[in-house]
Amino acid sequence: MTKSPADLHKPLIARRMDRVASFLAMDVLSAAAAKERRGDSVIHMEVGQPSAPAPRAAREAAKAALDLGRIGYTEALGMSALRERIAKHYKDTYGVTIAPERVVVTTGSSAGFVLAFLSLFDPGQRVAITAPGYPAYRNILEALGIEPVTISLTKADGWIMTAESIAKAHAEKPLHGILAMSPANPSGTMIGRKALAELGETCRRMGLWFVSDEIYHGLTYGEPASTALTSDDDAVVINSFSKYYCMTGWRIGWIVVPERLVRPIERLAQNLYISPPYLSQVAALAAFDAMDELETVKAGYARNRAYLLEELPGVGITDMHPVDGAFYIYADVARFTNDSIGFSKRMLEEAGVAATPGLDFDPIEGSHYLRLSFAGSENDCRETVARLKGWLK
């Protein structure tokens, strides 16, 4: 019997797909939604999604554009007005001057990672990421045939990627790039200005690409976050309107790249995405005029953070990474479990609190960690503590 082309390629397809793990936060979200459909109450602490809507100015700009009726393509790199406004944002916020031509508007930061990885690395090359860290890094790299190299974060190093850890990994087997995130997901821990500059200097000295994920910039509770571009003009910086600007579902982000990468990335963007969504770009441009509204939302996160940091120790959750920014608490729950997936399932079913197991972020130590998002309402945070007090007693 003659085999079909699909049958012949099954082993290859299976190997490629097996390298891409599920996104556990989304699996928890699905399970929570199913519980709600059964009529049960769920407090959502699993997904990093602002509970506030997109700013009023962004929504009104999109409505006005929609009323005009013509929603079409833009340039593959994005609308020139938005690229110029993002460049102005770097000057206003960080004192860094970049040419608007170096800004690439993307369909969310996720598309930015795909474009960056495809333009920077060849299949088989090695890129350092952290554990814990955002799970999509590893999965996108794996899907593209690029090898993720895990740098385990330690308390001694302040739970951040350091220049020393990169130098050590590179000496063991050469790297081709690194990916750092500050503030971090799942912890909110920040890399300070000096440590960020040292990472950039190390990458330049060793000939490595430096990719800096800055998606949670704007959401800090002490010192403001530093951009890698302050000390390394060759860094590839990725950001998004999803978190600070409360525009997750609009799927709009950007990357800043060295001038020599603009045309290669433009060719990729033309073929992979054609262009970012027009309406989302219009809304994003207007979002820059909504800073007062966005700062009010951030103040709500700050209250949630303060409440949880004060109250969680009372339910036995005491060992957490520094929560410098973002809207997450990453806690060691080893006193309760060494099976974070099973623990989060029981927490959802028995206490009605949805949280993300640490194995989503760290395949090494994540079995005894849990991530809680405080991007929801103050009432959600209070109800979470009340339910956990009863469940963990």
Side-chain angles (χ1 to χ4, degrees), residues 16 117-118 121-126 141 144-147 176:
R16 181 176 291 274
F117 294 162
L118 282 172
F121 308 114
D122 292 326
Q125 291 190 327
R126 307 174 77 246
L141 289 167
L144 297 176
I146 302 164
E147 181 184 350
H176 299 86

Side-chain angles (χ1 to χ4, degrees), residues 274-351:
I274 301 181
S275 72
Y278 170 76
L279 273 183
S280 297
Q281 293 186 70
V282 170
L285 181 59
F288 281 110
D289 296 324
M291 303 308 290
D292 289 345
E293 183 179 348
L294 294 169
E295 284 296 301
T296 298
V297 173
K298 175 183 169 181
Y301 300 152
R303 289 191 295 272
N304 290 348
R305 170 184 178 271
Y307 176 78
L308 290 174
L309 290 178
E310 181 178 349
E311 295 296 329
L312 285 177
V315 302
I317 298 176
T318 58
D319 191 355
M320 305 169 240
H321 286 214
V323 189
D324 304 318
F327 35 56
Y328 305 116
I329 287 175
Y330 192 61
D332 189 340
V333 291
R335 66 183 299 179
F336 301 111
T337 187
N338 197 36
D339 174 15
S340 59
I341 294 179
F343 187 76
S344 68
K345 286 180 179 178
R346 294 194 304 276
M347 181 185 290
L348 175 60
E349 288 303 316
E350 299 169 12

Side-chain angles (χ1 to χ4, degrees), residues 55-309:
R56 179 181 296 275
R59 302 196 310 270
E60 290 179 349
K63 287 178 183 176
L66 189 60
D67 286 343
L68 294 176
R70 188 180 184 279
I71 310 302
Y73 297 136
T74 70
E75 296 174 69
L77 296 178
M79 294 166 42
S80 59
L82 180 54
R83 297 169 72 194
E84 290 167 2
R85 185 61 186 84
I86 291 170
K88 182 177 183 298
H89 165 73
Y90 280 88
K91 181 66 174 178
D92 294 345
T93 305
Y94 309 104
V96 174
T97 299
I98 59 169
E101 292 77 18
R102 292 175 55 192
V103 177
V104 179
V105 182
T106 60
T107 308
S109 62
S110 299
F113 287 115
V114 172
L115 291 170
F117 294 162
L118 282 172
S119 63
L120 299 177
F121 308 114
D122 292 326
Q125 291 190 327
R126 307 174 77 246
V127 177
I129 61 174
T130 63
Y134 181 52
Y137 299 154
R138 176 181 304 277
N139 292 332
I140 295 171
L141 289 167
E142 292 276 18
L144 297 176
I146 302 164
E147 181 184 350
V149 178
T150 299
I151 305 292
S152 293
L153 303 182
T154 66
K155 187 174 184 177
D157 287 333
W159 301 113
I160 63 169
M161 178 184 279
T162 65
E164 291 78 12
S165 64
I166 294 304
K168 180 180 177 183
H170 187 64
E172 291 172 356
K173 187 175 180 181
L175 300 169
H176 299 86
I178 73 166
L179 197 169
M181 186 184 204
S182 176
N185 179 4
S187 64
T189 303
M190 287 205 314
I191 303 173
R193 179 186 293 267
K194 181 174 182 291
L196 198 64
E198 289 172 351
L199 280 175
E201 191 280 328
T202 298
C203 287
R204 288 192 301 275
R205 176 164 48 84
M206 296 180 173
L208 312 180
W209 283 108
F210 182 15
V211 182
S212 180
D213 181 353
E214 302 180 358
I215 190 173
Y216 291 99
H217 275 216
L219 297 177
T220 60
Y221 306 105
E223 290 295 317
S226 297
T227 176
L229 293 169
T230 300
S231 54
D232 187 356
D233 193 53
D234 251 4
V236 173
V237 167
I238 298 179
N239 208 324
S240 170
F241 290 90
S242 290
K243 307 301 182 179
Y244 177 76
Y245 298 93
C246 302
M247 295 177 66
T248 51
W250 297 77
R251 308 312 303 135
I252 193 76
W254 76 84
I255 55 178
V256 180
V257 300
E259 185 177 349
R260 63 189 181 279
L261 288 181
V262 173
R263 181 55 181 161
I265 286 180
E266 182 177 24
R267 294 196 301 267
L268 285 169
Q270 288 169 340
N271 286 282
L272 290 175
Y273 309 109
I274 301 181
S275 72
Y278 170 76
L279 273 183
S280 297
Q281 293 186 70
V282 170
L285 181 59
F288 281 110
D289 296 324
M291 303 308 290
D292 289 345
E293 183 179 348
L294 294 169
E295 284 296 301
T296 298
V297 173
K298 175 183 169 181
Y301 300 152
R303 289 191 295 272
N304 290 348
R305 170 184 178 271
Y307 176 78
L308 290 174
L309 290 178

